[in-house]
Amino acid sequence: MLRDIPSVEKLLQDKELKQCIDKYRHNYCVAVIREVLDKYRKSIINHEIKEVKYAEIIIRIKDKFDSMFSLKNVINATGVVLHTNLGRSPLPEDVCDHISKINGRYNNLEFSLDTGKRGSRYDHITEKIRLLTGFEDAVIVNNNAAAVMLILNVFARGKEAIVPRSQLVEIGGSFRVPKIMELSGTKLVEVGTTNCNHIYDFEEALSENTSMVMKVHRSNFSLKGFVKEVSSSELIKFSKENNVIFYEDLGSGILFENAFNKKETTVTELAEQADIVSFSGDKFLGGPQCGIILGKRKYIEQLKKAQLLRAFRVGKLTISALEATLENYAKKDENDKVLSLNMLNQTYEKIEERSNKIHETLFEKGIQSRVEAGTSLVGGGSMPDIEIPSPKIFIKTDLEVEQIKEELRNLKTPIILSVKDNELIIDLRTVFDDEEEYLVDSIVGVLQY
Ligand SMILES: *Cc1c(COP(=O)(O)O)cnc(C)c1O
């Protein structure tokens, strides 16, 4: 069978492949064909293929040429709004338009139109942040992990930072507060116990080497039961009195109070008081991946001069996306404009109505399903306590659910959903209206195939 595999030379001459061969560089074509043949060969050796079919090899090669991009849109039917694996926040159309308009041409990224001299890329963001939140100044880095690293490195390197034990979090293996401290050259001084800390813990920990008191959002876990912690405002007062910096890593960074964060500290709340705060651009804020650092002007100026900032610098794609995101926040209808907020704000009734419609369509096609109460998650390592009541569509099947899941994942526009006990579970909270038809058709197709 291995000998029946056609040669690369022969395939390069194939009429059916001519269109691809003409379009792509010779070396690339040879490499693509070799790769497909290698895989085919392995399948033969593993007895997955019983007979060499020339036509099938041609289809495989064509498919390989056709799937130009590895990055593609997927339908998120999991109900996890800030799904880190699925790109966290989707960006609304006007933000995408701004990105494409600015980046397709030259722009004033680092050019001051006032002076005609070199400008700062951060200036495009600073004013809007100041007007929106009340913080004096801002600087943007690649992500919040970089923000934490930069802040510690600039203000606490070779010195001590006090952090409560209840906040020494791990946000997915590659971000652990103690490790970041170590990398930044900061000595971590842990205070309190796992569940409690008091202001006297901070007083006792204070030394000549203390440069900072740091508060970290717990983000992906919660403490229940006997929990006592010193609040941000108390720590701010303490820091001021003792002449040390107060820095809060807010994790998700919620600009204003809204339905989901009644007990969360908002960015605007801290504006008048905190020395420095940082948070992610693509968690609750609903913007591009970046780390947003806000604070008193004297501190932000220092960060802007730091060598390390150069290594964490963001490009025009990020800055244009963030600028447009902030513009949406400035508008009254922010909930419609920020997609992640919009999804979180959808009412139970609205999603139930959408779910019932799909349930009826499935019923007409002879597929058994039911709509039942469940919960959606905010996701993105934020607000672990909050489960948003959300109706879900449960679809029963006699087929192997894991296999159905895989088939849906391999569609041209893949569908990502959860399964449990031989049922597919769809949460429409994270599904866009115009994706519904494709979603239903695909599920019917896969189940009835
Ligand atoms: C998510 C998170 C980070 C890391 O942010 P990225 O933008 O993903 O790098 C750091 N600290 C806290 C508290 C977080 O929640």
Side-chain angles (χ1 to χ4, degrees), residues 13-244:
Q13 305 301 325
D14 189 281
K15 271 200 212 74
E16 279 203 59
L17 292 178
K18 187 168 169 14
Q19 235 188 356
C20 303
I21 306 286
D22 285 349
K23 186 162 144 195
Y24 289 99
R25 306 168 151 271
H26 178 72
N27 287 0
Y28 183 75
C29 293
V30 171
V32 165
I33 293 173
R34 278 210 183 117
E35 182 135 320
V36 171
L37 293 184
D38 274 353
K39 211 164 160 199
Y40 202 80
R41 201 169 288 122
K42 276 190 194 122
S43 299
I44 292 175
I45 293 167
N46 293 335
H47 306 289
E48 288 154 17
I49 289 173
K50 302 274 172 284
E51 183 192 349
V52 174
K53 289 191 186 129
Y54 186 80
E56 197 192 312
I57 294 177
I58 296 291
I59 290 173
R60 287 188 183 205
I61 294 171
K62 269 189 170 163
D63 282 351
K64 189 96 185 162
F65 277 112
D66 282 346
S67 55
M68 280 180 292
F69 297 116
S70 162
L71 207 49
K72 51 181 105 177
N73 289 118
V74 305
I75 292 176
N76 175 8
T78 66
V80 181
V81 177
L82 300 173
H83 200 305
T84 300
N85 300 149
L86 305 183
R88 287 195 186 155
S89 320
L91 299 173
E93 208 172 293
D94 52 3
V95 172
C96 295
D97 286 348
H98 190 58
I99 299 171
S100 102
K101 189 160 161 276
I102 293 300
N103 290 276
R105 299 281 169 108
Y106 292 107
N107 53 61
N108 61 338
L109 180 68
E110 273 196 352
F111 182 78
S112 163
L113 295 172
D114 286 339
T115 64
K117 298 204 174 91
R118 185 178 175 165
S120 160
R121 63 183 60 215
Y122 307 109
D123 286 352
H124 302 292
I125 305 295
T126 310
E127 187 180 64
K128 201 144 268 151
I129 290 262
R130 186 158 46 78
L131 296 175
L132 271 175
T133 68
F135 269 100
E136 285 177 5
D137 205 352
V139 66
I140 314 300
V141 291
N142 190 43
N143 52 28
N144 192 30
V148 177
M149 181 77 184
L150 178 71
I151 292 164
L152 290 173
N153 186 267
V154 169
F155 297 111
R157 196 169 125 223
K159 299 187 199 139
E160 294 170 1
I162 306 175
V163 190
R165 289 202 167 84
S166 53
Q167 295 165 20
L168 295 174
V169 299
E170 169 174 325
I171 317 257
S174 53
F175 182 90
R176 305 171 109 188
V177 172
K179 203 77 207 165
I180 296 271
M181 288 256 166
E182 194 185 312
L183 279 170
S184 70
T186 306
K187 181 162 180 244
L188 165 65
V189 177
E190 303 175 23
V191 294
T193 59
T194 306
N195 55 328
C196 293
N197 55 73
H198 308 271
I199 199 73
Y200 60 75
D201 291 321
F202 291 84
E203 281 160 0
E204 278 169 22
L206 205 65
S207 83
E208 280 181 355
N209 280 326
T210 308
S211 75
M212 175 185 287
V213 169
M214 183 180 177
K215 190 163 189 263
V216 186
H217 192 277
R218 262 195 289 279
S219 296
N220 54 8
F221 79 106
S222 60
L223 285 178
K224 285 203 180 79
F226 185 57
V227 179
K228 271 205 162 70
E229 285 193 289
V230 184
S231 69
S232 296
S233 48
E234 278 175 277
L235 286 178
I236 287 167
K237 187 163 161 276
F238 171 85
S239 303
K240 232 179 228 141
E241 282 167 6
N242 293 290
N243 221 2
V244 296

